[in-house]
Amino acid sequence: MNYSKSLALTFLLALTASNVFSYDVTDRYKLLDDKLKTEQMLRPLGHDFFLDIGAALNKNVKTVISDFSDASKFAGTSLEKLNNAQTVLSKYDKTEQTLKINLSLGIPLFSFSAWDLKVQPNIRVFTDVGANMGIRSEAITPALLLSFITIDIPASLKTKILATTYVGGDDLLAPASNPNLCDTLGDASAIAICKAGKGQFFYPTNTNIPNLFLFAKVDARAGLYNDYSYGEHFFGNFNLYALNRTDVYQVVTADAVANGTKIDLPKKKNTETSLQADYRLGYKNDNYRIFTSVEDLKLSKFKERADGSKELTYGYNPLLRLHAEATYKFTVLTLNPFLGFHKRSGYGFADGAYAGADLGAYVWGDRLGLQMRGMFDKQYITLSPRMKLWLMQLEYSLKTPLKSTDGDVKLSAINSIDLRFFF
């Protein structure tokens, strides 16, 4: 069976598939994060004690944060401060800034075999902190209007907000047209929630100026990760772990930037804990390998979010993947061409297609060596040099845009680095 040809056809079909682009800061984070997870997958952890530290950063993040900080300190009248903040936001219209930090560690357990099945269990802990900031002009829709509010609100209050006429600067829960909006709800709990939120959420003064859309997520995972092989050809893994997840979605207006308003986490966090699973099934023959996998599959909920907190924006959509690779050895040189795609709700098949190759020179098994990876997808070409020195591995990655925009997002380079100690 020619796996390389069959998967290459799938790859080309996915890459040329059309999709209608509509910006969503959370969906964009999913796509960028899953691209970074593909790079993580291409440096497997192995059955070792390990400590792994990684970080990824859009090249403009520091400049954008500095400009916003300067805008919040701008000296002048209220109107001058607002005009300056609007100018700063307009400068970065249709851009996005992404950052991610991850820390993981692993402890191998005793391997065991039964008939043709060999299992290598590991205890692993992963912490992942990431954020995406998108800046763009958006017409205020009902969904966007409600996104200004960062607390969980009852349906009766949502209905009342959507039926209210607002002008620039209005308190969403006490507008000029209806300052006693809270008292009209007719439900004591809804009234209490409404009054507690007064003075916190405002309708933008100028709806034609870009707003900053912020999504941030913190994941912590811990559990049993099991690599297995069956007979000569089959391999994979089965992971069972607890996931603790918190996320934040906020819209920051030019008014907030001008006033130096801090982006504070909601007082009531929407942290949830769930039981999750990953499963991979692969087949290898000679120097070829192919596998399919599902990751982040929610099995059950251990702990619900706090009452009054906003529902998780990211949700629990699983990640699907198909990947194939080959290995060719030439004395100390090793060539590994690969291709595949990943898919999660929030982006299309074409967005998740990728192809590339690793070229490495190793001695002493694979404990000492240098490697260079080249990879491309619909948005980026990625170059990743890696150095492996006995008990340490260091990899740098640069994602350079293949085009200036993706849909209406202006793309910029993403730098990432990964440092691993193992023994």
Side-chain angles (χ1 to χ4, degrees):
M1 180 177 181
N2 196 324
Y3 298 106
S4 58
K5 288 185 178 179
S6 61
L7 193 58
L9 178 60
T10 304
F11 173 79
L12 290 173
L13 289 173
L15 196 59
T16 56
S18 63
N19 64 309
V20 179
F21 191 93
S22 178
Y23 186 81
D24 182 286
V25 67
T26 307
D27 288 346
R28 285 292 296 179
Y29 178 81
K30 289 179 180 179
L31 174 60
L32 294 171
D33 188 36
D34 287 345
K35 288 181 184 295
L36 293 171
K37 285 180 178 177
T38 296
E39 293 190 60
Q40 291 174 340
M41 178 206 71
L42 292 172
R43 46 176 183 264
L45 295 169
H47 190 55
D48 297 300
F49 289 95
F50 70 83
L51 171 65
D52 191 275
I53 305 168
L57 187 70
N58 180 287
K59 73 171 186 177
N60 298 322
V61 169
K62 292 177 64 177
T63 303
V64 173
I65 292 175
S66 176
D67 284 353
F68 286 171
S69 177
D70 292 343
S72 69
K73 300 171 184 175
F74 183 82
T77 65
S78 296
L79 181 58
E80 289 172 337
K81 293 183 70 173
L82 178 59
N83 288 337
N84 180 68
Q86 291 175 343
T87 299
V88 171
L89 283 171
S90 296
K91 174 183 176 182
Y92 294 106
D93 190 22
K94 294 184 173 60
T95 66
E96 63 184 3
Q97 319 301 324
T98 307
L99 59 90
K100 180 180 178 181
I101 300 171
N102 56 273
L103 172 68
S104 55
L105 59 90
I107 302 172
L109 300 178
F110 290 108
S111 303
F112 62 89
S113 299
W115 296 280
D116 289 335
L117 177 67
K118 182 179 180 181
V119 181
Q120 295 180 322
N122 305 265
I123 295 175
R124 291 178 180 170
V125 179
F126 299 88
T127 302
D128 186 301
V129 181
N132 193 33
M133 297 184 295
I135 302 171
R136 58 223 311 105
S137 302
E138 292 276 354
I140 294 186
T141 62
L144 180 58
L145 183 63
L146 292 175
S147 73
F148 286 110
I149 300 175
T150 59
I151 59 175
D152 192 31
I153 57 176
S156 59
L157 180 52
K158 291 180 182 179
T159 301
K160 185 69 66 172
I161 291 172
L162 296 178
T164 299
T165 300
Y166 293 96
V167 297
D170 264 351
D171 183 338
L172 291 181
L173 304 183
S177 62
N178 188 4
N180 297 315
L181 181 148
C182 294
D183 295 322
T184 65
L185 295 175
D187 177 79
S189 61
I191 292 172
I193 292 171
C194 182
K195 289 185 174 180
K198 287 173 66 174
Q200 298 183 46
F201 316 111
F202 298 92
Y203 196 84
T205 302
N206 190 332
T207 59
N208 295 318
I209 297 298
N211 297 310
L212 186 153
F213 295 80
L214 169 68
F215 174 76
K217 179 172 69 72
V218 179
D219 280 353
R221 307 164 189 260
L224 193 60
Y225 288 69
N226 306 282
D227 297 323
Y228 71 84
S229 61
Y230 181 77
E232 182 182 352
H233 299 291
F234 293 96
F235 68 94
N237 60 45
F238 174 69
N239 309 324
L240 192 64
Y241 53 91
L243 168 66
N244 190 263
R245 171 168 290 167
T246 305
D247 72 17
V248 176
Y249 173 59
Q250 292 187 7
V251 182
V252 182
T253 64
D255 307 69
V257 174
N259 294 326
T261 304
K262 294 182 178 180
I263 302 175
D264 294 323
L265 293 175
K267 294 179 181 178
K268 291 187 176 181
K269 294 181 175 60
N270 58 0
T271 305
E272 295 183 350
T273 305
S274 59
L275 179 64
Q276 306 272 135
D278 307 332
Y279 182 68
R280 175 185 295 182
L281 175 62
Y283 181 85
K284 59 184 178 180
N285 191 22
D286 294 328
N287 60 323
Y288 294 95
R289 286 163 43 101
I290 184 170
F291 71 79
T292 183
S293 66
V294 57
E295 301 172 29
D296 299 336
L297 183 65
K298 187 178 79 169
L299 301 180
S300 64
K301 188 81 68 70
F302 287 147
K303 177 181 175 294
E304 297 285 351
R305 59 191 170 91
D307 290 340
S309 63
K310 196 166 186 177
E311 186 177 0
L312 285 170
T313 305
Y314 191 92
Y316 291 97
N317 300 118
L319 173 66
L320 306 177
R321 185 184 299 279
L322 179 65
H323 179 88
E325 61 186 46
T327 302
Y328 301 97
K329 292 184 178 294
F330 310 95
T331 61
V332 297
L333 292 177
T334 301
L335 176 66
N336 291 101
F338 59 84
L339 55 82
F341 67 86
H342 53 82
K343 178 70 177 77
R344 194 193 299 264
S345 175
Y347 58 85
F349 281 100
D351 295 312
Y354 60 88
D358 294 333
L359 178 62
Y362 297 95
V363 295
W364 211 339
D366 65 349
R367 287 287 179 168
L368 299 176
L370 297 174
Q371 176 185 292
M372 173 61 77
R373 174 184 305 123
M375 179 169 65
F376 74 94
D377 56 46
K378 184 183 174 185
Q379 294 86 13
Y380 298 94
I381 182 169
T382 304
L383 295 177
S384 306
R386 178 194 297 174
M387 176 178 65
K388 202 168 186 180
L389 296 175
W390 189 238
L391 301 179
M392 185 195 79
Q393 176 177 295
L394 179 64
E395 181 175 311
Y396 168 74
S397 173
L398 172 63
K399 288 187 174 296
T400 303
L402 283 171
K403 50 188 178 179
S404 58
T405 62
D406 181 32
D408 66 345
V409 178
K410 296 177 182 177
L411 298 177
S412 64
I414 299 175
N415 297 276
S416 62
I417 191 167
D418 183 83
L419 174 62
R420 181 180 302 166
F421 299 95
F422 53 91
F423 55 93

